[in-house]
């Protein structure tokens, strides 16, 4: 911004902690402000003003006392920051007017006093700063314009700049007065011959953060991006911009990160306008947002584009309306129309441009996900909409959350790039003695010669499916129709059908998709035998992929129904490798009573194994922060896998029988309700970067929760912070105790 000010106001500040190049790095409050006017036309200097500031916390660090020579007696009777700033504005305006000038700009030695001390403190105290504090001139940069052969900006000090131009160092010992006099001398020097410098350009501090979109093709400099960790789950992009108040964030430069379940994981990527602002942001490592400290690290442009970059024209058009408040709606009925959503929000929260301000999130095939984003023109309308959180639309309650432009991009990117059925990566083969695969359970294969039927009537049987398939029934393999049951052994509405070839499966998916069966249309998708096998073995078929089966084996002794059938060892299928968390110290392996050649796996004694072995189907929708997750976490009671490891054929087999805590810092959680689940604990520790496999609920030998759990945190620092911040907090009405174990 061009500056045509008639005067400069030399400005200096000191805090109750670190000063100089580290000013503001320790979040200490300002205790001293010094200013003096320089008339650029007459090259005259006004009176020097020095004013103490009373901080909210009356405490000075030893470093501050040594560097400034100040004591508590100097500041105990001073005015608070807002009063002092008001006095400065009035005093400067009056003096400038007496000089016959019309404008002024602050002159500082480095941006720290403005960007790292004044604006962050004012933001925390909810102070409205006068306009004059939103622009300034950096003396070091102006000096380099006159003396380009001097040292680089970060290495320049007042004494080195005075020495470079041949001026004596300031002998004044009083803090603030010494620095102000030095800046005045340098300013007058570069205004005179031979420099004749003109102060034309002033730096600005953004008063607000502008949301916007970012294209995946847009170049993003890695020197401008940081990663912030430990954010409260309810943080918005505006909250994060407020944390970095004083630093200029690029338009749309805040991207909240989501985990695999679509919930905010307490991290965000922030893009600044240049590397200087990024470096200042890194100095705010472990500064506080409320009661939480935030970790700040370097990140790359690729990471930012992965989260915030988008290619959808629909999203770009939706987000093209600037200065809008974005609300995310979750749990909408799949049949919900635009008019129904607008009516649900009501006239007290009008949507921007009506239907154009509403964006439904859909799968690649056009099916609704139950999510939508809504634009509101002001905060008042958004607040009115948020009051409808968990109110009913149709037969479902609707969740409403604040959202961001980057989150819109991220959610749309995830859904639009998600395959209907994805395959698991190859897993290592672990030999274990298991029951031979029944002839009706298909051999796992990546060949896409199967189809999945979704949305079947719950009363539908195999005969109905054959009638639905019509002429294509001739292409079905023998015993190729598999009904998927839930964990209550009831129809789930899904079925898998093995076809004779991938071409036949593709043809069925094309011809039968959305045909009607008993007044319901059925969706038909092509998939592989491997995907079908995992589901039939008890895995979960999710919207965004397959979850491994829990593989719970509830019998602790071999049922007599199978004892008479000798079997040969078989290779464990991929699905059976995935097992649930067990007791931290499970019951030891028992001595095998059968010969190795006749080792048996212990299955429940149902007459139709393939129809009852934990078959389940769980509908999956990513959820926003602290909303109920539909992902199922299975925790087997101790001893459930004891029989499976009775006679392991390989050392790795015994390790596969339990999931022990991952490397990291361990915390014991005590006092849990007996119905506690993994997702409850993850919600309690929202923002600590925990994954489901980091939570281990301990069970007693009756298979019930013991009231304790082991939590593995990424590092000791995070674990100790969690213990300090969360210990004693209520957990569903009970007091929780946390103990650091490492």
């Amino acid at each position: 911004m061009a500056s045509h000010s008639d005067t400069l106001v030399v400005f200096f500040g000191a805090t109750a902690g670190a000063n100089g190049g580290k000013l503001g790095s320790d979040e200490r409050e300002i205790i001293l402000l010094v200013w003096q006017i320089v008339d650029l036309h007459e090259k005259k200097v006004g009176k020097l003003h020095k004013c103490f500031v009373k901080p909210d916390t009356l405490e000075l660090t030893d470093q501050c006392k040594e560097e400034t020579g100040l004591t508590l007696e100097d500041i105990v009777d001073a005015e608070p920051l807002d009063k002092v700033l008001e006095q400065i504005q009035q005093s400067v305006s009056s003096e400038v007017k007496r000089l016959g000038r019309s404008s002024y700009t602050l002159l500082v030695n480095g941006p720290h006093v403005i960007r790292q001390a004044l604006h962050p403190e004012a933001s925390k105290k909810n102070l409205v700063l006068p306009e004059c504090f939103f622009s300034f001139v950096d003396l070091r940069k102006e000096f380099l314009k006159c003396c380009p052969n001097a040292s680089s900006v970060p290495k320049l000090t007042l004494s080195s700049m005075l020495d470079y131009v041949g001026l004596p160092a300031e002998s004044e010992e009083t803090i603030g007065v010494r620095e102000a006099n030095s800046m005045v001398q340098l300013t007058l020097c570069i205004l005179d011959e031979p420099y004749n410098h003109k102060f034309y350009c002033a730096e600005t501090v953004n008063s607000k953060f502008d949301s916007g979109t970012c294209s995946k093709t847009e170049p993003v400099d890695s020197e401008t991006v940081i990663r912030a960790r430990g954010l409260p789950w309810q943080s918005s992009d505006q909250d994060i911009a407020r944390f970095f108040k004083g630093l200029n964030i690029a338009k749309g430069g805040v991207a909240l990160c989501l985990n695999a379940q679509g919930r905010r994981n307490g991290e965000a990527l922030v893009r600044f306008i240049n590397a200087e602002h990024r470096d200042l942001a890194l100095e705010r490592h472990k500064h506080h947002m409320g009661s939480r400290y935030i970790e700040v690290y370097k990140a790359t442009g690729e990471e930012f584009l992965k989260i915030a970059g988008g290619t959808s024209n629909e999203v770009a058009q939706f987000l093209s309306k600037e200065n809008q408040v974005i609300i995310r709606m979750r749990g909408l009925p799949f049949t919900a129309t635009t008019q129904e959503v607008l009516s649900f929000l009501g006239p007290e929260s009008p949507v921007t441009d009506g239907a154009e301000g509403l964006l439904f999130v859909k799968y690649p095939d056009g099916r609704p996900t139950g999510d939508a984003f809504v634009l509101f023109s002001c905060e008042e309308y958004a607040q009115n909409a948020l009051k409808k959180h968990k109110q009913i639309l149709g037969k479902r309650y609707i969740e409403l959350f604040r959202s961001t432009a980057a989150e819109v991009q991220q959610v749309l990117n995830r859904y639009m790039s998600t395959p209907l059925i994805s395959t698991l990566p190859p897993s290592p083969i672990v030999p274990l003695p298991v029951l031979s695969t029944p002839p009706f359970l298909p051999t796992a294969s990546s060949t896409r010669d199967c189809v999945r039927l979704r949305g079947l009537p719950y009363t539908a049987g195999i005969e109905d499916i054959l009638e639905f398939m019509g002429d294509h029934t001739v292409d079905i393999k023998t015993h190729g129709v598999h009904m998927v049951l839930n964990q209550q052994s009831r129809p789930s509405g899904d079925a898998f059908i093995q076809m004779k070839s991938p071409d036949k499966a593709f043809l069925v998916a094309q011809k039968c998709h959305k045909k009607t069966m008993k007044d319901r249309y059925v969706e038909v998708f092509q998939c592989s035998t491997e995907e079908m096998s995992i589901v039939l073995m008890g895995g979960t078929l999710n919207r965004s992929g397959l979850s491994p089966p829990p593989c719970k084996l509830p019998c602790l002794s071999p049922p007599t129904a199978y004892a008479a059938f000798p079997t040969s060892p078989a290779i464990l299928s991929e699905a059976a490798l995935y097992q649930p968390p067990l007791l931290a110290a499970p019951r030891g392996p028992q001595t095998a009573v059968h010969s190795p050649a006749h080792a048996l796996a212990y299955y429940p004694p149902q007459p139709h194994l393939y129809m009852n072995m934990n078959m389940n189907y769980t509908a999956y929708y990513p959820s926003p922060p602290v909303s109920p997750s539909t992902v199922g976490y299975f925790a087997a009671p101790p001893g459930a896998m004891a029989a499976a490891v009775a006679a392991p054929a390989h050392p790795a087999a015994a390790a596969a029988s339990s999931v022990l805590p991952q490397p990291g810092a361990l915390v014991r959680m005590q006092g849990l309700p007996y119905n506690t689940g993994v997702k409850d604990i993850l919600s309690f520790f929202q923002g600590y970067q925990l994954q489901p496999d980091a939570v281990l609920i301990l069970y007693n030998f009756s298979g019930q929760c013991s009231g304790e759990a082991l939590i593995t945190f990424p590092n000791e620092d995070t674990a100790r912070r969690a213990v300090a911040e969360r210990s004693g907090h209520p957990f569903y009405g009970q007091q929780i105790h946390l103990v650091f174990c490492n």
Side-chain angles (χ1 to χ4, degrees), residues 212-220 251-253 271 304-305 308-311 319 405 409 413:
T213 60
C214 177
S215 171
K216 284 189 178 294
T217 60
E218 181 179 341
V220 176
K251 183 177 180 180
R271 177 190 179 191
F304 182 83
L305 286 175
T311 57
L319 297 175
Q409 292 278 24
N413 290 345

Side-chain angles (χ1 to χ4, degrees), residues 127-144:
L127 305 181
V128 179
L129 291 176
E131 187 179 353
C132 62
F133 294 105
F134 284 86
S135 62
F136 63 91
V137 175
D138 189 344
L139 179 60
R140 296 181 305 172
K141 295 180 181 178
E142 299 298 321
F143 181 81
L144 277 180

Side-chain angles (χ1 to χ4, degrees), residues 214-412:
C214 177
S215 171
K216 284 189 178 294
T217 60
E218 181 179 341
V220 176
D221 186 359
S222 293
E223 297 300 315
T224 65
V225 182
I226 63 94
R227 179 184 295 272
R229 291 179 178 173
L231 299 167
W233 65 264
Q234 70 273 30
S235 300
S236 66
D237 53 352
Q238 296 294 339
D239 295 325
I240 297 170
R242 186 175 181 180
F243 175 79
F244 290 107
K245 190 69 174 178
L247 307 178
N248 294 349
I249 299 175
K251 183 177 180 180
V254 177
L256 295 167
C257 301
L258 306 180
N259 61 19
Q261 286 76 43
R263 303 169 67 180
R264 297 175 189 172
N265 62 3
E267 296 188 7
L269 293 170
V270 185
R271 177 190 179 191
F272 295 90
I273 60 171
N274 56 40
E276 178 188 4
H277 289 240
R278 193 282 305 267
D279 293 339
L280 292 175
L282 292 172
E283 295 181 9
R284 301 195 188 183
H285 179 59
K286 293 195 174 181
H287 281 205
H288 288 76
M289 179 184 290
S291 60
R292 300 176 62 89
Y293 72 80
I294 309 302
E295 301 172 355
V296 182
Y297 304 99
K298 292 181 179 179
T300 65
E302 290 78 8
E303 290 176 307
F304 182 83
L305 286 175
K306 184 178 179 180
I307 299 299
T311 57
S312 171
N313 293 330
E314 183 182 14
V315 176
Q317 183 178 0
F318 176 75
L319 297 175
S320 62
K321 305 174 180 63
E322 298 184 0
N323 302 322
Q324 300 290 311
V325 183
I326 305 175
I327 298 296
R328 181 178 180 182
M329 303 181 70
R330 177 187 177 273
L332 293 169
F334 297 146
T335 57
T337 64
T338 301
Q339 189 56 46
E340 288 175 338
V341 174
L342 295 177
S343 299
F344 171 80
L345 296 171
E348 65 276 9
S349 48
V351 177
T352 301
D353 296 336
E356 294 184 6
L358 181 62
L359 178 65
F360 287 97
V361 183
K362 299 180 180 179
Y363 288 109
D365 61 357
R367 289 179 295 114
T369 64
D371 280 22
F373 292 95
V374 190
L375 296 179
F376 296 98
S377 59
C378 65
E379 184 67 28
E380 179 185 357
Y381 295 159
Q383 287 289 351
N384 292 337
L386 291 173
K387 293 178 182 177
K388 297 183 180 293
H389 179 59
K390 292 196 174 181
Q391 290 190 14
I392 302 298
L393 174 59
K395 295 183 179 180
R396 304 189 65 176
Y397 72 85
I398 310 301
E399 297 173 306
L400 291 95
F401 305 91
R402 289 184 177 276
S403 187
T404 66
E407 186 174 12
V408 176
Q409 292 278 24
Q410 194 175 169
V411 171
L412 265 294

Side-chain angles (χ1 to χ4, degrees), residues 493-559:
D494 275 31
F496 287 92
I497 300 177
Q498 290 177 272
M499 307 302 293
K500 292 182 178 179
S501 69
D503 293 337
K504 301 296 184 181
F506 176 79
L507 186 61
V508 170
Q510 293 292 316
K511 297 294 185 181
C512 297
H513 184 55
K514 291 196 175 182
K515 280 181 58 178
T516 301
M517 179 189 297
K518 295 185 178 180
D519 299 327
R520 294 191 62 176
Y521 74 84
V522 178
E523 297 171 307
V524 183
F525 307 110
Q526 186 180 11
C527 65
S528 69
T529 312
E530 179 182 27
E531 296 162 344
M532 177 181 64
S533 299
I534 291 177
V535 175
L536 296 182
M537 287 289 292
T540 300
L541 179 57
N542 293 332
R543 297 287 187 187
S544 56
L546 285 164
S547 294
C551 298
K552 293 192 289 186
L553 303 177
C555 291
L556 299 181
S557 60

Side-chain angles (χ1 to χ4, degrees), residues 11-19 23-24 26-34 51-60 64 70 75 78-82 84-85 88 112-122 125 127 129 133:
F11 192 73
F12 172 83
T15 70
N19 289 288
L23 187 72
D26 55 1
E27 295 186 276
R28 293 285 183 166
E29 298 172 87
I30 295 173
I31 59 172
L32 174 67
L33 292 175
V34 180
C51 189
F52 294 112
V53 182
K54 183 179 180 179
D56 291 344
T57 303
L58 286 173
E59 181 183 358
L60 302 180
C64 172
L70 299 177
I75 63 175
E79 295 285 347
L81 181 62
D82 56 339
V84 173
L85 295 178
I88 292 176
H112 287 74
V113 64
I114 299 294
R115 296 194 184 277
Q116 297 288 73
L118 184 59
H119 277 276
E121 182 175 342
K125 296 181 177 179
L127 305 181
L129 291 176
F133 294 105

Side-chain angles (χ1 to χ4, degrees), residues 133-212:
F133 294 105
F134 284 86
S135 62
F136 63 91
V137 175
D138 189 344
L139 179 60
R140 296 181 305 172
K141 295 180 181 178
E142 299 298 321
F143 181 81
L144 277 180
K145 293 177 183 178
C146 304
C147 309
N149 295 327
S151 301
S152 60
V153 171
K155 297 181 180 179
L156 286 178
T157 63
L158 287 172
S159 58
S160 66
M161 289 187 287
L162 288 171
D163 182 66
Y164 189 88
V165 296
L167 294 175
E170 181 61 39
S171 59
E172 176 63 49
E173 296 183 358
T174 306
I175 182 70
V177 176
R178 176 176 62 251
E179 287 78 8
N181 288 341
S182 298
M183 285 191 282
V184 168
Q185 288 188 59
L186 280 170
T187 301
L188 295 176
C189 177
I190 61 178
L191 286 173
D192 282 337
E193 296 288 345
Y195 304 108
N196 295 319
H197 183 66
K198 304 295 182 182
F199 291 88
Y200 283 119
C201 296
E203 297 185 37
T204 60
V205 179
N206 290 346
S207 58
K208 65 177 182 178
F209 166 69
D210 292 328
S211 59

